[in-house]
Amino acid sequence: MVVKIAVLASGRGSNLQTIINSIENGYVKNAEINVVISNKRDAYALERGRNHGISTVFLDPSRCDNAKYDLKILVVLKQYEIDLLLLAGYFQLLGPEIIEAYRNRILNIHPSLLPSFKGLHAQKQAFEYGVKITGCTIHFVDEGLDSGPIILQSCVPVLQGDTEETLTARILEQEHIIYPEAVKLFVEGKLKIEGRTVGFG
Ligand code: GRF
């Protein structure tokens, strides 16, 4: 069986690109990205999708409230018979309807070691806090903010002389490694959720 994937992205889509690559080069088997959806008309993620022959959809958030917007997303997910929804730099909270409909089938990437530094500008938050180690997290999405069960994490040390930008770039390198890995584990049916803990079956 092929797992049908939709990616929600608001920006440049470098994580989307690594997932596309990991499917195209056979690292992730039995999966296909059927649609890239964005809330930003000019998101480069949409172009990346088009470059690989993937359908892209811009859904204009300015024309409706959050609940109606989520219903629009759901319509697209149903239309493409999506099994797995990936958030890859999607800067808007998903509402309960989608989370319920896709319970344990929505993954997100967050650029910190959760539960530290939730929300926006996580790299900046970590840098300004003065932590010595930060990183990135792939987690299931639940109703809370960056709060669902954790699938994979990767540590990134904060080095002397780092700026927010250099730190962000090194975290991104790790994001590009663990997101395809998490997708592979999901597609292979290896993720077992027990409470907050995700085991690998
Ligand atoms: C990444 O840092 C991701 O962790 C965060 O938003 C950024 C998206 O980058 N959620 P890209 O659009 O995948 O390049």
Side-chain angles (χ1 to χ4, degrees):
M1 195 197 94
V2 171
V3 173
K4 295 182 171 192
I5 299 174
V7 179
L8 269 171
S10 303
R12 72 190 157 184
S14 70
N15 279 288
L16 164 68
Q17 187 67 58
T18 61
I19 294 159
I20 292 173
N21 295 348
S22 69
I23 292 172
E24 286 189 354
N25 69 23
Y27 177 69
V28 177
K29 296 186 175 62
N30 301 318
E32 59 191 23
I33 300 179
N34 294 81
V35 62
V36 177
I37 306 169
S38 186
N39 56 342
K40 302 279 181 202
R41 192 188 301 275
D42 59 354
Y44 188 56
L46 293 175
E47 198 169 322
R48 289 186 195 265
R50 284 193 289 270
N51 289 342
H52 289 263
I54 298 169
S55 299
T56 60
V57 178
F58 162 64
L59 294 176
D60 191 347
S62 67
R63 299 180 181 210
C64 52
D65 62 22
N66 280 0
K68 282 217 181 94
Y69 190 76
D70 281 3
L71 288 180
K72 284 189 180 183
I73 296 176
L74 263 181
V75 168
V76 177
L77 299 181
K78 295 260 153 70
Q79 183 190 340
Y80 286 89
E81 299 177 334
I82 294 304
D83 304 304
L84 170 65
L85 176 58
L86 303 178
L87 310 188
Y90 181 63
F91 300 122
Q92 192 163 299
L93 278 180
L94 287 183
E97 300 245 9
I98 297 186
I99 291 167
E100 193 50 50
Y102 279 85
R103 173 84 54 203
N104 299 337
R105 294 190 295 151
I106 310 175
L107 271 49
N108 182 41
I109 173 102
H110 185 76
S112 75
L113 291 178
L114 289 172
S116 292
F117 310 119
K118 295 178 176 183
L120 289 175
H121 311 300
Q123 305 96 327
K124 183 172 196 272
Q125 292 184 53
F127 186 72
E128 289 180 351
Y129 197 91
V131 294
K132 300 297 186 203
I133 296 175
T134 182
C136 50
T137 303
I138 308 287
H139 63 95
F140 283 106
V141 173
D142 65 10
E143 282 81 357
L145 174 65
D146 300 323
S147 64
I150 289 169
I151 300 168
L152 291 175
Q153 293 186 300
S154 182
C155 295
V156 175
V158 182
L159 304 177
Q160 251 192 337
D162 254 344
T163 61
E164 189 195 321
E165 288 71 30
T166 57
L167 179 61
T168 298
R170 288 207 317 287
I171 294 172
L172 191 64
E173 283 174 15
Q174 295 304 308
E175 294 182 35
H176 293 167
I177 294 169
I178 65 172
Y179 214 167
E181 199 177 332
V183 172
K184 181 178 162 76
L185 288 166
F186 181 97
V187 168
E188 291 174 351
K190 292 195 172 148
L191 299 179
K192 312 285 177 218
I193 307 176
E194 278 180 43
R196 284 211 49 87
T197 303
V198 179
F200 307 120

Short mmCIF file of all heavy atoms in Angstrom, two decimals, residues 12 16-17 20-21 24 36 43-56:
data_model
loop_
_atom_site.label_atom_id
_atom_site.label_comp_id
_atom_site.label_asym_id
_atom_site.label_seq_id
_atom_site.Cartn_x
_atom_site.Cartn_y
_atom_site.Cartn_z
N ARG A 12 9.73 28.73 2.59
CA ARG A 12 10.69 28.34 1.53
C ARG A 12 10.65 26.84 1.25
O ARG A 12 11.11 26.39 0.20
CB ARG A 12 12.09 28.78 1.93
CG ARG A 12 12.64 27.96 3.04
CD ARG A 12 13.89 28.45 3.68
NE ARG A 12 13.87 27.83 4.99
CZ ARG A 12 14.73 28.03 5.93
NH1 ARG A 12 15.71 28.87 5.73
NH2 ARG A 12 14.63 27.41 7.08
N LEU A 16 10.25 20.35 3.06
CA LEU A 16 9.47 19.70 2.00
C LEU A 16 10.42 19.08 0.97
O LEU A 16 10.26 17.93 0.56
CB LEU A 16 8.55 20.73 1.31
CG LEU A 16 7.98 20.31 -0.05
CD1 LEU A 16 6.98 19.17 0.12
CD2 LEU A 16 7.31 21.50 -0.75
N GLN A 17 11.43 19.86 0.58
CA GLN A 17 12.37 19.39 -0.45
C GLN A 17 13.08 18.11 -0.02
O GLN A 17 13.23 17.17 -0.81
CB GLN A 17 13.40 20.49 -0.74
CG GLN A 17 14.31 20.17 -1.91
CD GLN A 17 13.55 20.15 -3.24
OE1 GLN A 17 12.92 21.13 -3.60
NE2 GLN A 17 13.60 19.02 -3.94
N ILE A 20 10.64 15.28 -0.36
CA ILE A 20 10.50 14.92 -1.79
C ILE A 20 11.71 14.08 -2.22
O ILE A 20 11.58 13.02 -2.83
CB ILE A 20 10.40 16.20 -2.67
CG1 ILE A 20 9.10 16.95 -2.42
CG2 ILE A 20 10.54 15.83 -4.15
CD1 ILE A 20 9.01 18.30 -3.15
N ASN A 21 12.91 14.57 -1.87
CA ASN A 21 14.13 13.88 -2.29
C ASN A 21 14.19 12.45 -1.72
O ASN A 21 14.58 11.52 -2.41
CB ASN A 21 15.38 14.64 -1.83
CG ASN A 21 15.50 16.00 -2.50
OD1 ASN A 21 14.79 16.31 -3.46
ND2 ASN A 21 16.39 16.85 -1.99
N GLU A 24 11.97 10.34 -3.74
CA GLU A 24 12.48 10.14 -5.11
C GLU A 24 13.72 9.24 -5.13
O GLU A 24 13.92 8.48 -6.07
CB GLU A 24 12.79 11.49 -5.75
CG GLU A 24 11.53 12.23 -6.16
CD GLU A 24 11.79 13.47 -6.99
OE1 GLU A 24 12.97 13.86 -7.18
OE2 GLU A 24 10.81 14.08 -7.45
N VAL A 36 0.77 19.72 -2.13
CA VAL A 36 1.38 20.70 -1.22
C VAL A 36 0.36 21.83 -1.08
O VAL A 36 -0.12 22.37 -2.08
CB VAL A 36 2.71 21.26 -1.77
CG1 VAL A 36 3.26 22.33 -0.84
CG2 VAL A 36 3.72 20.14 -1.97
N ALA A 43 4.50 31.28 -1.49
CA ALA A 43 5.42 30.39 -0.77
C ALA A 43 6.28 29.62 -1.77
O ALA A 43 5.75 29.01 -2.70
CB ALA A 43 4.63 29.41 0.11
N TYR A 44 7.58 29.63 -1.54
CA TYR A 44 8.48 28.92 -2.46
C TYR A 44 8.22 27.40 -2.41
O TYR A 44 8.49 26.68 -3.37
CB TYR A 44 9.95 29.26 -2.13
CG TYR A 44 10.91 28.72 -3.14
CD1 TYR A 44 10.78 29.04 -4.49
CD2 TYR A 44 11.93 27.85 -2.77
CE1 TYR A 44 11.65 28.52 -5.44
CE2 TYR A 44 12.81 27.33 -3.70
CZ TYR A 44 12.67 27.67 -5.03
OH TYR A 44 13.53 27.14 -5.96
N ALA A 45 7.65 26.97 -1.28
CA ALA A 45 7.29 25.55 -1.16
C ALA A 45 6.38 25.12 -2.31
O ALA A 45 6.49 24.00 -2.81
CB ALA A 45 6.61 25.30 0.18
N LEU A 46 5.48 25.99 -2.73
CA LEU A 46 4.55 25.64 -3.82
C LEU A 46 5.35 25.40 -5.11
O LEU A 46 5.08 24.46 -5.86
CB LEU A 46 3.51 26.75 -4.02
CG LEU A 46 2.50 26.94 -2.88
CD1 LEU A 46 1.62 28.16 -3.14
CD2 LEU A 46 1.64 25.69 -2.68
N GLU A 47 6.34 26.27 -5.34
CA GLU A 47 7.15 26.11 -6.54
C GLU A 47 7.95 24.80 -6.49
O GLU A 47 8.08 24.09 -7.48
CB GLU A 47 8.10 27.30 -6.68
CG GLU A 47 8.64 27.43 -8.08
CD GLU A 47 9.36 28.75 -8.26
OE1 GLU A 47 8.90 29.77 -7.71
OE2 GLU A 47 10.39 28.74 -8.95
N ARG A 48 8.47 24.51 -5.31
CA ARG A 48 9.22 23.25 -5.17
C ARG A 48 8.31 22.07 -5.52
O ARG A 48 8.73 21.13 -6.20
CB ARG A 48 9.72 23.08 -3.74
CG ARG A 48 10.83 24.03 -3.35
CD ARG A 48 11.30 23.64 -1.97
NE ARG A 48 12.11 24.63 -1.30
CZ ARG A 48 13.44 24.64 -1.32
NH1 ARG A 48 14.11 23.74 -2.00
NH2 ARG A 48 14.11 25.56 -0.64
N GLY A 49 7.07 22.10 -5.05
CA GLY A 49 6.13 21.03 -5.37
C GLY A 49 5.93 20.94 -6.88
O GLY A 49 6.07 19.86 -7.47
N ARG A 50 5.63 22.10 -7.48
CA ARG A 50 5.38 22.12 -8.95
C ARG A 50 6.58 21.57 -9.71
O ARG A 50 6.43 20.84 -10.68
CB ARG A 50 5.07 23.54 -9.40
CG ARG A 50 3.66 23.99 -9.05
CD ARG A 50 3.29 25.27 -9.78
NE ARG A 50 4.00 26.43 -9.29
CZ ARG A 50 3.57 27.22 -8.29
NH1 ARG A 50 2.41 26.98 -7.71
NH2 ARG A 50 4.28 28.26 -7.89
N ASN A 51 7.80 21.93 -9.25
CA ASN A 51 9.02 21.46 -9.92
C ASN A 51 9.11 19.94 -9.96
O ASN A 51 9.85 19.38 -10.76
CB ASN A 51 10.27 22.00 -9.22
CG ASN A 51 10.45 23.48 -9.45
OD1 ASN A 51 9.86 24.04 -10.38
ND2 ASN A 51 11.24 24.13 -8.61
N HIS A 52 8.38 19.30 -9.05
CA HIS A 52 8.44 17.83 -9.00
C HIS A 52 7.11 17.22 -9.45
O HIS A 52 6.84 16.05 -9.15
CB HIS A 52 8.81 17.37 -7.58
CG HIS A 52 10.24 17.67 -7.24
ND1 HIS A 52 11.25 16.75 -7.36
CD2 HIS A 52 10.82 18.83 -6.85
CE1 HIS A 52 12.40 17.32 -7.02
NE2 HIS A 52 12.17 18.58 -6.71
N GLY A 53 6.31 18.00 -10.14
CA GLY A 53 5.06 17.47 -10.69
C GLY A 53 4.01 17.18 -9.63
O GLY A 53 3.10 16.37 -9.86
N ILE A 54 4.13 17.82 -8.48
CA ILE A 54 3.16 17.60 -7.40
C ILE A 54 2.08 18.68 -7.49
O ILE A 54 2.39 19.86 -7.75
CB ILE A 54 3.87 17.67 -6.02
CG1 ILE A 54 4.94 16.57 -5.92
CG2 ILE A 54 2.87 17.55 -4.88
CD1 ILE A 54 5.87 16.72 -4.73
N SER A 55 0.83 18.30 -7.26
CA SER A 55 -0.26 19.29 -7.24
C SER A 55 -0.03 20.27 -6.10
O SER A 55 0.41 19.87 -5.01
CB SER A 55 -1.61 18.62 -7.02
OG SER A 55 -1.88 17.72 -8.04
N THR A 56 -0.35 21.51 -6.34
CA THR A 56 -0.21 22.53 -5.29
C THR A 56 -1.51 23.30 -5.16
O THR A 56 -2.22 23.52 -6.14
CB THR A 56 0.93 23.52 -5.61
OG1 THR A 56 0.64 24.18 -6.84
CG2 THR A 56 2.27 22.82 -5.70
#
